[in-house]
Amino acid sequence: MWAYHSIFYQIYPIGFCGAPVHNDGQTVPRIRKLLDWTDYLSDLGVDSILLNPIFESDNHGYDTRDFRKLDCRLGTNDDFVEVCQALHSHGIRVVLDGVFNHVGRGFWAFRDVQEKKWDSPYKDWFYINFDGDSGYHDGFWYEGWEGHYELVKLNLQNPAVVDYLLDCVKYWIDTFDIDGLRLDVAYSLDHNFMRRLRSFVSGIKPDFALIGEVLFGDYNQIVNDDMLHSCTNYECYKGLFSSFNDMNLFEIAHSLNRQFGPEQWCIYRGKHLMTFVDNHDVTRIASILKQKEHLYPVYGTLMTMPGIPCIYYGSEWGEEGMKAPDNDYALRPCFDAPKPNELTSYIKKLISFRQKSDALCNGSYRNVMITNRQLIFERRTDREQIFVAINAEGTEFTANHGELQGEVRDLAADTRFTMNGQLTMKPYSVQILVFDPDSHPEYDTVTQKEAEQKGEERNIECKTAESYASSDCTAQNTTLSLADLTVVLGSASPRRTELLTQAGIPHVVCPSSCEEHITSSRPEDVVQELAEQKAQNVYTDRLASHPGEPFLVIGSDTVVSNNGKILGKPSSEEEARHMIQSLQDHTHQVYTGVSLIFHDGADTKTNTFFEKSDVDVYPMTNTEIASYLATGEPYDKAGAYGIQGAFAIYVRGIHGDYNTIVGLPIARIYQELKKWIRF
């Protein structure tokens, strides 16, 4: 899911655009103000925008009148179409606020009930009692959301209501090409409605993201394979600011370990929850922190802890705003233009590091060292190990710990040094320490770009195409976008072309015709060798037939490994039977190698890497093995590793990226390509 690797930027449009607090009925294209901010957002590095309510409403947006019409205070649907197109052209996805729990008193169906009472065909769309009366003297009582009777609660157990709302979602996707929804008060929504919504949007747009607003409770109840992809992590929101205010980092360390730690009882491991330091409903972080110096380590923690970071507009330059007892106007101001400062530059740097880091986006979490005012935690994947060191104190601190060993690169300070059991932590600082820095040249482009912006000349040694993730230092400077080049998939696999299509990457298929050869027996080496050979073969042909044209070649290959041995296609039924028997009640590995060759019309860049996923298989009876062998799949797919075929019913679990097993780790490819081209 793309959202798991994104940085979100949240805007409350009615306030941001300077619209009247109450709907005055005047159509003014204020939403077009976002067109003036797209370059700023792109430069900041955010790749997703979350817009709070934009549809026609009585007042604040959560009291909807019409789900199919942009609020007249913001403009017309055509205005918003243009805004979405501009954001997408800058590589920024669009997520809207889905307000499905309630509507405003001006909602067309509720107005019909007010007029016709019992005779209204929409009376069962709401929770109504005609034996009572409302505070507005409607001649009937109705349920309002949590006692707010300007918000009329919808009956989500009524199929007609669900069908109407889903039809509106389809209209938003078809008209505006939105990429996801934030579900308002998801903790109040009917679970069957959320299941139906997930199934519905997946059928229209498979990578459509659903993120719920949840304030309390067990997030697993709604964040799962059947309902939502993510939800707001209010537990860690509170832990972030109060840990620094109370100078007690044990609080946030406990919350993070409780949610994502290595112990089996930790409750949200493998999930990506939306993290934030403020939003449109709570006091801004610059107003709630007791010490303004803590803004830097707070944002440093936000960008390195597990989750999907979301920045609230204006807070990236330290804007203040206090929540009032009776309204949120101070939290939702209008700014004439962005006001970036040193804090903004710091956050921009953090975003760059996070977007390039496998460990920060996907890694496990483990507390290494905790004091009241210092915290060191680890983020780790198979490819990368990072220590994040936080000092909340206003004085320098020297940490002593047995795990502080080895050569590291501090991304924040752009320094390299060797730890020998100690680490010096500067006041109010966050250090992002990457182990084995020579294996991670991807961060070089960040520091070089900063140097160029400051007018400094720096010599950053770039690794060649033969090294891990070859990343040319000038990659960030390209002006080419995805639309400027032809993407060539060097594989005839229908699964791979389906994944590229779902990701919105137009491409042509030109299968390689090279003679494959390998020099290693290690599966991670084999898939990279084969992927590189395929990509090079297709690249040579394309360069000869389309000289001077920019293009990108994607070569890929997949193998299965069991106990370190690569499984090939069996040559006989007996060999196939033995292979299947070796997989059952056991975990085996699927490796996919990818080789990317980018030609901009003059120069060429190459990047080759691999991804691994584990597949856990149920025990199979002899009858089940014989039945599977009869399908013919084992002779074509080395056991179908093979979850897309008949073998799927024997798969107990998958650990890693499903797309790796299908044959194309699309999320990793996207992250790598962002170093070279604009999306």
Side-chain angles (χ1 to χ4, degrees), residues 303-606:
M303 291 295 173
T304 55
M305 62 190 271
I308 307 170
C310 184
I311 300 168
Y312 187 48
Y313 77 104
S315 289
E316 75 270 22
W317 61 72
E319 193 72 33
E320 296 191 12
M322 294 290 294
K323 184 178 179 68
D326 58 345
N327 67 73
D328 296 320
Y329 299 149
L331 309 177
R332 308 169 179 182
C334 174
F335 301 119
D336 292 334
K339 299 185 288 186
N341 55 17
E342 289 185 4
L343 177 62
T344 316
S345 298
Y346 175 68
I347 292 173
K348 176 180 175 180
K349 181 192 297 185
L350 293 172
I351 290 172
S352 297
F353 295 145
R354 184 178 181 92
Q355 289 178 327
K356 293 177 181 295
S357 172
D358 181 47
L360 295 182
C361 285
N362 305 304
S364 60
Y365 177 90
R366 180 175 65 90
N367 287 322
V368 176
M369 189 206 80
I370 316 174
T371 73
N372 286 89
R373 303 183 177 194
Q374 289 80 31
L375 169 62
I376 300 175
F377 61 79
E378 178 191 61
R379 303 295 312 282
R380 185 169 192 160
T381 64
D382 291 341
R383 293 201 310 271
E384 186 177 41
Q385 180 188 14
I386 287 179
F387 274 9
V388 178
I390 303 162
N391 184 11
E393 201 165 19
T395 58
E396 190 174 271
F397 178 84
T398 299
N400 294 276
H401 195 277
E403 290 193 52
L404 299 175
Q405 302 286 344
E407 185 179 6
V408 295
R409 176 177 181 176
D410 180 0
L411 298 181
D414 192 24
T415 57
R416 291 172 65 135
F417 55 91
T418 300
M419 297 187 296
N420 294 298
Q422 288 188 334
L423 176 66
T424 300
M425 305 166 69
K426 293 183 178 180
Y428 304 123
S429 67
V430 172
Q431 294 165 280
I432 307 173
L433 308 176
V434 181
F435 286 80
D436 191 18
D438 287 335
S439 296
H440 297 284
E442 60 267 29
Y443 299 113
D444 293 344
T445 57
V446 178
T447 53
Q448 179 175 358
K449 189 174 182 181
E450 289 174 353
E452 291 170 350
Q453 290 173 341
K454 295 177 181 178
E456 301 171 358
E457 292 186 0
R458 302 192 50 178
N459 293 319
I460 299 177
E461 181 180 351
C462 292
K463 297 198 168 188
T464 64
E466 286 73 31
S467 70
Y468 165 81
S470 170
S471 179
D472 191 292
C473 286
T474 61
Q476 293 286 332
N477 298 326
T478 182
T479 59
L480 286 176
S481 70
L482 181 64
D484 296 325
L485 64 146
T486 301
V487 177
V488 185
L489 176 62
S491 169
S493 164
R495 292 287 182 176
R496 291 187 174 115
T497 196
E498 179 182 339
L499 286 173
L500 285 178
T501 300
Q502 290 176 352
I505 301 179
H507 61 283
V508 296
V509 176
C510 295
S512 66
S513 58
C514 65
E515 182 177 342
E516 300 173 356
H517 60 277
I518 56 176
T519 61
S520 172
S521 61
R522 298 175 69 240
E524 55 265 49
D525 295 335
V526 170
V527 290
Q528 290 183 94
E529 286 184 351
L530 294 177
E532 192 169 16
Q533 291 166 27
K534 292 179 178 181
Q536 188 63 48
N537 175 259
V538 175
Y539 164 79
T540 301
D541 292 344
R542 184 77 187 183
L543 189 64
S545 59
H546 296 77
E549 292 185 11
F551 62 89
L552 168 75
V553 172
I554 303 176
S556 184
D557 201 277
T558 302
V559 301
V560 175
S561 173
N562 193 14
N563 296 323
K565 180 181 178 181
I566 294 177
L567 301 182
K569 297 178 182 179
S571 58
S572 66
E573 181 176 342
E574 185 56 34
E575 186 177 343
R577 183 182 304 277
H578 178 74
M579 180 186 68
I580 298 302
Q581 287 173 334
S582 73
L583 296 180
Q584 61 172 302
D585 203 16
H586 181 68
T587 299
H588 61 274
Q589 291 70 47
V590 179
Y591 292 83
T592 290
V594 175
S595 186
L596 307 173
I597 304 180
F598 171 53
H599 182 67
D600 64 7
D603 299 322
T604 300
K605 303 178 178 70
T606 301

Side-chain angles (χ1 to χ4, degrees), residues 2-10 41 44-50 91-93 274-275 302-304 307-311 347-348 350-355 361 671 674:
W2 59 266
Y4 298 157
H5 309 98
S6 287
I7 307 291
F8 277 75
Y9 191 87
Q10 181 188 359
L41 296 177
L44 184 61
V46 299
D47 48 20
S48 305
I49 189 168
L50 168 57
I92 300 172
R93 298 179 189 259
M274 178 163 278
T275 54
L302 175 71
M303 291 295 173
T304 55
I308 307 170
C310 184
I311 300 168
I347 292 173
K348 176 180 175 180
L350 293 172
I351 290 172
S352 297
F353 295 145
R354 184 178 181 92
Q355 289 178 327
C361 285
Q671 295 300 322
K674 285 200 299 185

Side-chain angles (χ1 to χ4, degrees), residues 262-275:
E263 293 84 6
Q264 288 298 318
W265 52 262
C266 297
I267 55 179
Y268 302 134
R269 291 191 305 169
K271 295 190 186 304
H272 295 72
L273 307 180
M274 178 163 278
T275 54

Side-chain angles (χ1 to χ4, degrees), residues 276-294:
F276 56 96
V277 296
D278 51 19
N279 59 33
H280 67 304
D281 287 327
V282 299
T283 295
R284 285 187 184 260
I285 188 67
S287 294
I288 206 169
L289 285 177
K290 296 177 181 178
Q291 292 180 254
K292 292 297 188 290
E293 295 87 352
H294 281 154

Side-chain angles (χ1 to χ4, degrees), residues 3 82 109 127 129 190 254 373 402 426 465 486 511 563 568 571 659 662:
E82 189 171 340
Y127 294 92
N129 184 342
D190 181 78
H254 170 76
R373 303 183 177 194
K426 293 183 178 180
T486 301
N563 296 323
S571 58
N659 293 335
V662 175

